[in-house]
């Protein structure tokens, strides 16, 4: 496990340029917050990205819920990502066979590979899905693209547990050039039978909220502190931030809680 090291130390040792950049952003802006910007119009999405951009390391989108999606959505996001220095993560949860997923990633109406630094995928269909995304990334001619494997989910009754989660780690280890890490509730790589000492997968944790335990549709929350204590590296929060009465105040609270917990972890 590398979770006792600082982002800066991990950036120096990490072979992947996108992970280096992610860690550098976290250090520079002192934030490990990923905003889950689940807004449904371009204006709302760009407005929240602009206001909260200085406080986040990554902006996570569900681009298919934007009702007026178009070129200006992507141009706006890309411009704000540069201005405020954050990465774009499309929470697409690819799940089909490799051949289909390549088309969904590269083409279609959403052209996700053109603009999203990070995407995620489920391994339900087997490792071919990761092979397909990895191939697109390596052939794509665009640097700084990476995959997170959905190793666990936060919703009640999730079947992504046990052997499934273990298989996520083993598949990740086969594609070290493009798999950056996992979406999971806690650190996983130390559970692996074949973990190498210098392996450094990045853990993104969804289901983070400072004041709620869950919602009416099965979401289950933990706090920034418990997530970071469990070995999470980046905290994904949505409604806790964007649906707060004062989103800027809220994002600063999450930023502070996440950063304090991280500081305690690397100094203990
Ligand atoms: N999300 C989860 N749980 C998961 C995965 C993704 O909640 O296991 I994988 C997504 C869904 C939503 C965001 O876009 O993360 C969480 O939003 P809230 O913080 O508003 O619950």
């Amino acid at each position: 496990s590398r979770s006792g090291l600082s982002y800066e130390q991990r950036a120096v040792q990490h072979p992947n340029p996108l992970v280096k950049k992610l860690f550098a952003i976290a250090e520079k802006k002192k934030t490990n917050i990923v905003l889950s910007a689940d807004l449904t119009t371009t204006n709302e999405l760009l407005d929240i990205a602009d206001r909260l951009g200085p406080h986040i390391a990554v902006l996570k989108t569900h681009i298919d819920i934007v009702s007026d999606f178009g070129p200006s959505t992507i141009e706006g996001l890309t411009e704000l990502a540069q201005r405020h220095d954050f990465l774009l993560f499309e929470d697409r949860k690819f799940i089909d066979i490799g051949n289909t997923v390549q088309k969904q990633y590269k083409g279609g109406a959403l052209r996700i590979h053109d603009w999203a630094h990070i995407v995620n995928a489920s391994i339900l269909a087997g490792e071919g899905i990761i092979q397909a995304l990895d191939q697109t990334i390596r052939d794509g001619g665009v640097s700084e693209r990476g995959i997170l494997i959905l190793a666990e989910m936060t919703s009640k009754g999730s079947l992504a547990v046990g052997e499934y989660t273990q298989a996520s780690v083993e598949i990740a280890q086969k594609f070290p050039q493009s798999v950056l890490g996992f979406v999971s509730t806690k650190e996983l790589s130390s559970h692996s039978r074949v973990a190498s000492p210098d392996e450094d997968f990045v853990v993104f944790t969804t289901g983070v909220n400072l004041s709620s335990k869950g919602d009416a549709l099965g979401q289950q929350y933990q706090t920034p502190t418990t997530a970071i204590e469990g070995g999470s590296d980046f905290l994904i929060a949505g409604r806790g931030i964007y649906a707060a009465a004062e989103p800027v105040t809220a994002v600063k609270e999450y930023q502070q809680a996440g950063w304090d917990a991280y500081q305690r972890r690397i100094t203990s």
Side-chain angles (χ1 to χ4, degrees):
S1 164
R2 319 247 86 192
S3 65
L5 300 178
S6 68
Y7 297 129
E8 198 169 18
Q9 290 166 315
R10 290 167 72 185
V12 170
Q13 295 170 10
H14 211 286
N16 186 297
L18 185 56
V19 175
K20 281 184 190 290
K21 184 165 180 174
L22 174 64
F23 285 148
I25 290 172
E27 285 285 356
K28 181 179 144 209
K29 295 170 74 176
K30 300 206 180 318
T31 181
N32 45 34
I33 298 300
V34 179
L35 176 68
S36 181
D38 297 328
L39 288 310
T40 55
T41 64
T42 298
N43 271 347
E44 289 171 292
L45 178 60
L46 298 185
D47 178 63
I48 208 84
D50 193 18
R51 287 162 66 205
L52 306 188
H55 304 284
I56 64 174
V58 180
L59 184 87
K60 183 175 83 60
T61 51
H62 279 298
I63 210 71
D64 60 347
I65 68 175
V66 178
S67 56
D68 60 347
F69 173 83
S72 63
T73 318
I74 298 312
E75 283 158 22
L77 284 175
T78 300
E79 197 269 312
L80 290 169
Q82 280 164 3
R83 186 182 334 151
H84 295 304
D85 202 11
F86 57 75
L87 299 180
L88 297 172
F89 168 13
E90 167 56 19
D91 189 359
R92 175 61 181 76
K93 299 187 176 71
F94 292 109
I95 197 164
D96 218 309
I97 61 165
N99 184 263
T100 299
V101 156
Q102 278 189 340
K103 294 176 186 169
Q104 291 171 321
Y105 183 31
K106 264 180 88 161
L110 305 177
R111 309 197 66 83
I112 294 167
H113 174 265
D114 282 355
W115 56 271
H117 303 98
I118 302 171
V119 294
N120 52 7
S122 147
I123 56 141
L124 189 67
E127 75 175 68
I129 184 170
I130 305 301
Q131 190 190 345
L133 295 169
D134 172 74
Q135 207 176 71
T136 302
I137 289 173
R138 285 186 298 111
D139 296 351
V142 182
S143 60
E144 299 180 342
R145 293 290 178 268
I147 308 159
L148 297 173
I149 293 184
L150 296 163
E152 293 180 325
M153 291 196 69
T154 56
S155 37
K156 211 172 167 194
S158 163
L159 305 178
V161 297
E163 279 179 36
Y164 181 94
T165 302
Q166 180 60 38
S168 305
V169 177
E170 285 165 20
I171 292 174
Q173 287 165 333
K174 294 187 184 171
F175 300 93
Q177 283 189 33
S178 48
V179 176
L180 313 177
F182 307 102
V183 180
S184 60
T185 63
K186 58 189 178 304
E187 184 177 33
L188 300 175
S189 32
S190 58
H191 299 181
S192 169
R193 284 170 297 208
V194 283
S196 79
D198 53 9
E199 175 180 283
D200 187 11
F201 287 118
V202 184
V203 176
F204 283 63
T205 299
T206 46
V208 172
N209 197 300
L210 275 168
S211 59
S212 170
K213 294 259 177 276
D215 69 12
L217 297 174
Q219 176 69 299
Q220 305 174 112
Y221 288 124
Q222 59 175 325
T223 66
T225 306
T226 62
I228 295 285
E229 285 172 358
S232 172
D233 299 310
F234 289 90
L235 305 172
I236 305 177
R239 286 165 288 179
I241 296 174
Y242 71 77
E246 298 282 354
V248 176
T249 308
V251 79
K252 288 180 183 170
E253 285 167 10
Y254 281 72
Q255 178 183 11
Q256 191 69 51
W259 198 257
D260 287 350
Y262 158 73
Q263 292 286 345
R264 284 194 297 275
R265 185 172 87 192
I266 62 169
T267 52
S268 66

